[in-house]
Structures are given as C-alpha cells and as structure tokens.
Amino acid sequence: MKKLIFLGLLILIMWPLNSQAAVLKSTYPRLANYFLKWEINEQEARQLSKWDLLILDMEVQENNPESLKLIRELNPDVIILAYITSQEIIDDVNNYAGRTGAFLRGELRDNIIDGWWLKDQNGNRISNWPYTYMLNLSDSVSTDSSGRKFNDYLPEFVATKIKNVGLFDGVFYDNTWGDVYWINGGNLDVNNDNRKDSQAEADTLWVTGFKKMLDKTRALVGPEFIIAGNGRTFEGYQKVINGMMLESFPSAWENNGTWSGSMNSYLKFTPLNRYPQVPVINVNKKSQFDYRTFRFGLTSTLLGDGFYSFDYDTTNHTQAWWYDEYNVNLGAAKSSAYNLLDINNSVLKPGLWRRDFKFGSVLVNSTDKEQLYIFNKEEFDKIKGTQDTAFNNGAKINFLKLSSKDGALILRKSELITDSAFVNGYFYRVFNIWGEQTRNGFFSYLSSYPAGEQVLIANGDYNDADDASLFAKNGQLVLNKNGKSVLAFYPYDKFFRKQLNLAAEINAGNFGLLITGPTVGGGAQVMVFTKAGKLQHMFFAYDKKSRGGVSVALADVDGDGNLEVITGPGKGDEPLIKIFSISGNLKSSFLAYEKRFKGGVEIAAGDVNGDGQAEIVTGPGPSGGPHVKIFNSSGVMLSQFFAFDAKYSAGLKISLSDINHDGKLEILTGVKNFY
C-alpha cells in the first residue's frame, strides 16, 4: 500500500495539474478532431498534433500517456478533452469485442450498483447503443454504500481519475441531453416506481439530475477545467459548460434537422458558454473526398467562432483527414456573419452568407440553388490546392459561383512582402520548398518607396506597411517608423550612389542589426550596423578587388543560437556561399552552382522546411538560368527547382516571406520584368 501511495505522489509531482485556463487561438479556422481510438501510437500522435482541439478517449491516458505528452510537445497550445459517455456504459467492458485496455471503463463499471441503471416499467435495463446499457442521471435512484447516486459518482470519477492526473484539459460528456422521453419508445421508469412515466415527468427528472451532475463536476474540477457536451443543445446547461458539439451537422435532432436550425443553436448558445468557449461542428460523411460537403461544414463553422471536425460517421470517429483549407490562415475575424441576399436582415435563414477575416473571407450558400455573387471593388484569390483542384485553382476572382450547399474560403490579394528584402517594382512568383506555386505572382511595387531599390518591411502583425521599414535610396540607408524617417545615412560614403543589398535582424516588427552589401559596381564589403546606425563590424566577403557587389542575408543557420551573416558573390566571382560570424569570422562555405559560373548568386535565409532551423536559398544572377536551390548550413542541397522557363537568364532576386499567412515561409523569386 505504501508503494502505491508513493507512486501516486510521484505521478502528481511529475505531472503538475492543469490550473490555468486554455487559451483559444485568435486566428481561423479552428480545427477539431473527434478521434475515439482507445490506443494512439506515435505516428497517430504526430498527425493529431496538427489540430487545435482534440477529443480523445479517456483510455488513452492509461494506454498511451506518452502519446498525449508527444502531442503537447509538438503543439503546446493544443486543447485535449477526455471522451466519456455521460449516461451509459459497456456492461461487460473487459470482454467487449475482445477489447483490452479498458482500465478506466473497467473501474467505472466496477463501482456501478444495480440501482443506478435506467429501466423500463417492467424493471428491464434499457439499451440505446449496441453493447451498452443506460444509466439513470436522476435523483430517483438508490445510493451506494458511500451515500452517492450516479450523478454524484460520475463527477467524482472525472475529477479524481481524469482531471487530477493532469493529462487532459477537460472532459467531453457524450450525450448531454436535455430530454430523455424519446428513448425506448417512451417506456421509461425514471423515478423507479414500477410504472411508465409521463413525458413531462421523465424529462423533468432527467434534466434536474443531469444539471446536478454538471454542477457537481464544475464544483469538483474548478473553473479552468473545460466541460463540453454532445447531443441536442439544451439552454439550461450552457452556462455551466464550455460548449456543445453538433454531431452529424446539420444535426437531425437539432431544430428540425435543417441548416438554419443547427446554425441557430450554434450561434445562439455559444455566447452563454464559459470561457474558453469550445463549440464544435462535426460533419461526418462516408467519403474522405466529398469536398463539397467538407467545405459546406467548414465554412458554416466559420460563420461563428467554433471548431470544425470532419470524419467518417457516428460509428467510426478515427480519421486524421487533412485538407487544403486547413493550411489556410484567415487571421482574426473582422465581422459577424451577414446574408448577401438580405443584407439588412440578421435572421438566420437560407441565403448566401459571408464573414470577413483579416486575410480573407468565407462564403456559404445554404440555399437550394446555385448562387452567383460579384464583388464590387474587391478582388480575391481562390486557394491553390492539391485536392479539389478544379475548385481550389488559385485563380484571381472578382465573382464567385457557388453550388447549393457549398462554401468557399477566398483570400485577399496579398502583395506585401514582409520581414525579407525585396526589390520595389519587381515581379515575384511564390513557391514552397518543393517548387510548387502556392499563390499567384504579383508586382511588388509600393509607391512610398523608390522604384528599383531594395525594401525591407518589418511587420510581425502585417498591419501597416509603414509600421517599420528599411530601404535604400541612391546609396543611402533609410529607416522609417510609423511613416516617418528616424534614421538616414550612407553606409559606405556619400559618393557611392549605387543600389544596395539589405538584410536585418527582425524581432516582433522591429529592427535590430542592419546589414548592407553593394550591388554591381561596388566591392564585396559587408557592413554591420546597429539600428541606430552605429557601425559594429566591417569585412570583405570576397576579394577586395571585386566590383560585382555582394548579396547578404542574416539568420542562425547552424543552430548555435547566434546570428550568422550569409553572403553570395557578385558578378565575376565563383558561386561560393560563405557563412560568417557577425564580426566577420568565416565559419564555412560551399559552392551553390558549378564553379565556372560567375554571374553572381542572390541569397536569402530562413526556415522554409519547418524544421526550426534556417536554410539558405539561392538564385543565379544575370547570365544564369532561373535555378533556385535550397541548402542547409553544411552546403547539403535539400531541394531545387526552376522558377521560370529554363531559357530565362536575366537573373533572380530571392525573398522569404509568409505571404500566405499560414505560419510558413514561402520562397519568392523576383525578376525585373514580367516573364
């Protein structure tokens, strides 16, 4: 016994209890996965870590606690809820379909007494789901040896066996019903008086007992532990819980089974819930590839602030299906939902509904016919996807045609390159690390900056192009803040008026170190300044006699925790990429192209493959083909592609920016004229 007590204390020490409320992410879409396997392996845990909210069976806590730890390690912001049925249990748990690992269900079942079962007027136990029997949540049941009823015991079980272990952020009570008379054809004896109850009698007893169970759960687990439910929404429970799932949306049991009925419940009850509010819309379709149904559910969810789940059906919630739309970051919501077919009427009814976000909008056609909408003074991009490519084709649009019961995520034109130097007025194409175009190309011109010069906008929030910017102007380096010049100086001397290459340390939208290198006509001299313009270091990256300039980048490419200066040679030097310390000490070098190529190499550095370490991206200067390469700090090539036709030989400019607002850097390849 002493060993068991010590082991319990050790577990509590190693795993501190969740005492802080989960924080909802402020961007959309919010994604949920209703994944009810009793065991989760490492591969599944890695897949599941991509979702924002997970509803996992409580048995995972006992069978695979290491998987829960891995999910949190990979996604520290994830919310994980423990699935448990609120009013039924598998009777013969350990022999159920040959299943093992039912530790928590077994313990729960072992303490259930005969007087807690829900029975009909003849004393027979009632089953509403295969292999399970229902429990009576009312106060009309008998008590166990500790004086508890089932609506006392279940909250105690959740508090001690789930909440106190500290692996879950909350509990998900399945079947959180506000009535019960529809069960078993109404043949119910909820008050245990050996007669059939009336509808009013059965439902009143049920609601009163269920509310007691929820209230007691809240009292035992505290205000920060999440309580979520599933089933027909009932207003009387909403202030106690954090949200409801609308399973099989539009749910047949929710306001006549219509889209408008389910949406009314979704949008009406969420404001009543406790924070963090975690309403979930679950769409299940026995096809992973029914993209129209998938989109209709996702865009409907985005009309509110809930989480979206898409899987197989009510008998099989074990999918980790991922879709193009899940990779989109719409940013924060900028409006409530409004009906484009009846703009002055907020009543939820069939229509063409729209909601606007920072980086895009969603539209939902909930009518029974196709809808065409023309955007006045607006232009959007469709998602460029790899699944339903006929729909998500990346096209620029000023109108949208939507089939009945369909929806779309559309993106605002994004032509602002941030946190990486670009040439003002060049045409840029957008690629991922594998050379796939992820967005339409665009001209980068901003009228407030000199044409043909390099510009670097530091804006972690993408709010205002003039928030903080660094740009070159006839050999001068200019630093702006909130649209006003706060620093202007010549990094070389006032007689050098040629173009400059720029790089900078950027943190939360502000500049730190400023790095410059001349373009063609200047030497290979790298200058390192503070943001106040004070010279810190100066060194030659290549031969002092070189007049082809030098391309510069700034990043921690070797993972030592310190920034490195990365340089690419100008015209006339072999294509040797060099990595220096900030003070100019050479750390390593490698050839980006064949040694005989001397057209110059343009570079940028950043984490383009999501491994947490910066890569070096190169593009040839004039006379070279549009051959983009991606290297690690050791010079190992990770990927390569041609950004334009192989015959193009006027040179590339390289930038790395999260142009898609998806948390990943895209590779932008710039040319002087559209090609």
Side-chain angles (χ1 to χ4, degrees):
M1 178 61 72
K2 290 182 179 179
K3 289 183 179 180
L4 291 175
I5 293 172
F6 173 76
L7 179 60
L9 290 173
L10 181 62
I11 291 173
L12 290 176
I13 292 170
M14 292 177 64
W15 292 102
L17 305 183
N18 293 328
S19 59
Q20 295 183 346
V23 178
L24 301 180
K25 75 172 190 177
S26 60
T27 58
Y28 296 80
R30 294 170 171 173
L31 308 178
N33 197 318
Y34 193 26
F35 195 87
L36 299 187
K37 285 187 177 181
W38 291 8
E39 298 178 8
I40 294 177
N41 60 37
E42 179 182 346
Q43 181 181 357
E44 290 169 331
R46 291 185 179 278
Q47 288 178 303
L48 290 169
S49 69
K50 296 186 294 183
W51 274 264
D52 305 307
L53 172 69
L54 295 174
I55 300 165
L56 305 180
D57 196 275
M58 63 179 178
E59 300 293 359
V60 179
Q61 172 183 292
E62 307 300 313
N63 295 323
N64 306 107
E66 71 283 353
S67 291
L68 295 176
K69 302 170 197 174
L70 178 60
I71 291 170
R72 288 202 188 279
E73 178 184 334
L74 296 172
N75 182 4
D77 298 322
V78 69
I79 298 172
I80 309 178
L81 306 183
Y83 172 90
I84 184 172
T85 50
S86 63
Q87 43 46 268
E88 66 189 358
I89 192 167
I90 301 165
D91 189 24
D92 192 6
V93 173
N94 294 321
N95 293 320
Y96 167 59
R99 298 292 294 270
T100 59
F103 298 104
L104 290 176
R105 281 178 176 79
E107 183 172 350
L108 181 65
R109 174 62 184 90
D110 288 345
N111 290 288
I112 291 174
I113 65 172
D114 183 68
W116 290 352
W117 298 110
L118 181 64
K119 299 176 181 179
D120 64 17
Q121 61 182 338
N122 297 316
N124 300 311
R125 291 191 299 171
I126 294 172
S127 176
N128 187 52
W129 193 259
Y131 309 106
T132 69
Y133 285 98
M134 291 190 61
L135 291 147
N136 192 336
L137 268 293
S138 80
D139 267 335
S140 300
V141 299
S142 53
T143 58
D144 65 6
S145 58
S146 299
R148 301 174 301 183
K149 299 176 181 179
F150 182 67
N151 58 22
D152 297 307
Y153 171 56
L154 183 60
E156 292 177 8
F157 181 88
V158 168
T160 58
K161 302 300 180 180
I162 296 176
K163 193 268 184 181
N164 286 354
V165 175
L167 293 179
F168 286 101
D169 298 297
V171 62
F172 180 87
Y173 280 133
D174 199 5
N175 302 329
T176 310
W177 304 328
D179 54 9
V180 73
Y181 194 73
W182 53 277
I183 293 291
N184 201 39
N187 184 3
L188 303 174
D189 180 16
V190 178
N191 63 2
N192 289 314
D193 65 354
N194 298 314
R195 66 175 181 84
K196 180 180 176 181
D197 299 331
S198 68
Q199 180 174 353
E201 188 176 25
D203 288 345
T204 299
L205 289 169
W206 184 266
V207 165
T208 302
F210 208 107
K211 178 65 163 48
K212 173 188 169 184
M213 186 274 289
L214 293 174
D215 286 336
K216 185 163 185 176
T217 303
R218 176 59 68 199
L220 292 174
V221 300
E224 312 298 348
F225 199 66
I226 293 171
I227 304 174
N230 183 27
R232 185 182 302 172
T233 53
F234 177 67
E235 186 167 0
Y237 302 156
Q238 301 309 307
K239 291 183 180 180
V240 184
I241 66 176
N242 299 81
M244 286 287 292
M245 172 184 279
L246 297 178
E247 190 175 6
S248 302
F249 176 90
S251 307
W253 51 85
E254 199 70 41
N255 291 332
N256 301 317
T258 63
W259 178 87
S260 298
S262 285
M263 288 299 296
N264 268 298
S265 294
Y266 169 51
L267 297 178
K268 173 185 176 182
F269 290 124
T270 300
L272 301 178
N273 297 148
R274 300 175 63 94
Y275 185 87
Q277 294 161 335
V278 292
V280 179
I281 284 183
N282 167 255
V283 174
N284 39 68
K285 190 78 172 179
K286 295 181 179 180
S287 171
Q288 180 180 356
F289 309 108
D290 189 339
Y291 298 116
R292 181 172 157 188
T293 299
F294 162 80
R295 287 193 301 267
F296 187 54
L298 173 62
T299 52
S300 295
T301 305
L302 283 164
L303 296 182
D305 296 327
F307 295 77
Y308 181 60
S309 160
F310 185 77
D311 55 25
Y312 188 77
D313 75 354
T314 56
T315 66
N316 185 353
H317 292 294
T318 59
Q319 288 71 47
W321 297 340
W322 193 261
Y323 295 91
D324 290 329
E325 284 82 356
Y326 287 174
N327 296 316
V328 172
N329 176 17
L330 290 170
K334 293 298 182 184
S335 78
S336 300
Y338 55 99
N339 187 355
L340 295 171
L341 303 184
D342 192 0
I343 200 71
N344 295 317
N345 193 338
S346 61
V347 175
L348 258 170
K349 61 182 181 179
L352 184 61
W353 288 86
R354 174 176 173 173
R355 193 183 188 196
D356 300 317
F357 297 83
K358 189 170 188 178
F359 303 132
S361 295
V362 296
L363 280 89
V364 184
N365 178 11
S366 60
T367 71
D368 292 326
K369 63 180 182 179
E370 182 180 83
Q371 298 290 339
L372 171 66
Y373 186 77
I374 299 173
F375 301 101
N376 293 323
K377 301 179 182 180
E378 291 180 289
E379 190 174 78
F380 291 91
D381 288 344
K382 296 188 79 174
I383 294 171
K384 188 173 179 63
T386 61
Q387 294 167 327
D388 191 359
T389 54
F391 189 88
N392 289 332
N393 57 16
K396 291 183 181 294
I397 59 170
N398 56 15
F399 72 91
L400 184 65
K401 185 182 291 186
L402 271 181
S403 300
S404 170
K405 305 298 187 293
D406 199 353
L409 274 66
I410 52 177
L411 306 174
R412 300 190 190 287
K413 289 179 62 177
S414 182
E415 299 179 354
L416 179 62
I417 301 172
T418 62
D419 300 332
S420 183
F422 65 92
V423 181
N424 196 31
Y426 270 38
F427 177 80
Y428 282 86
R429 280 185 174 177
V430 184
F431 298 89
N432 62 19
I433 188 175
W434 309 117
E436 300 165 334
Q437 284 189 259
T438 60
R439 199 81 187 252
N440 290 312
F442 60 92
F443 283 96
S444 61
Y445 183 69
L446 296 172
S447 60
S448 54
Y449 301 103
E453 296 274 17
Q454 286 209 6
V455 178
L456 208 167
I457 296 171
N459 196 317
D461 195 30
Y462 306 100
N463 266 334
D464 187 340
D466 289 326
D467 188 33
S469 60
L470 179 72
F471 62 93
K473 183 179 181 181
N474 297 325
Q476 190 179 40
L477 200 60
V478 182
L479 179 62
N480 277 7
K481 188 70 175 177
N482 297 322
K484 295 181 179 181
S485 176
V486 296
L487 180 68
F489 66 96
Y490 290 94
Y492 297 96
D493 61 53
K494 62 183 179 180
F495 299 107
F496 183 82
R497 299 301 181 91
K498 295 183 181 295
Q499 295 171 337
L500 300 175
N501 288 312
L502 308 179
E505 176 191 12
I506 302 173
N507 184 21
N510 291 303
F511 290 104
L513 297 175
L514 313 177
I515 315 294
T516 64
T519 55
V520 175
Q525 192 175 26
V526 176
M527 311 289 277
V528 182
F529 300 90
T530 68
K531 64 180 179 180
K534 181 180 179 180
L535 180 64
Q536 277 203 327
H537 302 287
M538 174 182 66
F539 59 89
F540 283 90
Y542 302 95
D543 194 297
K544 291 182 179 181
K545 298 179 181 179
S546 298
R547 286 296 177 265
V550 57
S551 179
V552 293
L554 186 64
D556 178 11
V557 294
D558 58 11
D560 66 352
N562 299 311
L563 291 171
E564 284 82 42
V565 177
I566 307 97
T567 65
K571 186 176 182 180
D573 288 314
E574 63 184 19
L576 190 66
I577 304 301
K578 293 186 177 182
I579 302 173
F580 296 90
S581 68
I582 291 294
S583 60
N585 295 319
L586 182 64
K587 301 179 77 170
S588 63
S589 63
F590 60 89
L591 285 170
Y593 300 96
E594 291 185 9
K595 189 172 183 177
R596 62 185 179 181
F597 173 71
K598 296 187 177 182
V601 182
E602 297 290 336
I603 61 168
D607 184 7
V608 294
N609 64 358
D611 67 351
Q613 189 164 307
E615 287 75 45
I616 300 167
V617 183
T618 68
S623 78
H627 191 185
V628 177
K629 292 186 177 182
I630 299 94
F631 299 91
N632 65 16
S633 62
S634 300
V636 176
M637 187 174 68
L638 307 177
S639 181
Q640 61 178 325
F641 60 89
F642 281 85
F644 297 89
D645 189 283
K647 296 178 182 179
Y648 174 83
S649 60
L652 297 177
K653 293 290 185 179
I654 304 294
S655 296
L656 305 178
S657 182
D658 183 11
I659 200 77
N660 290 344
H661 313 305
D662 59 359
K664 303 174 184 176
L665 291 177
E666 282 77 46
I667 299 171
L668 292 94
T669 61
V671 294
K672 188 172 184 179
N673 299 302
F674 177 77
Y675 181 82

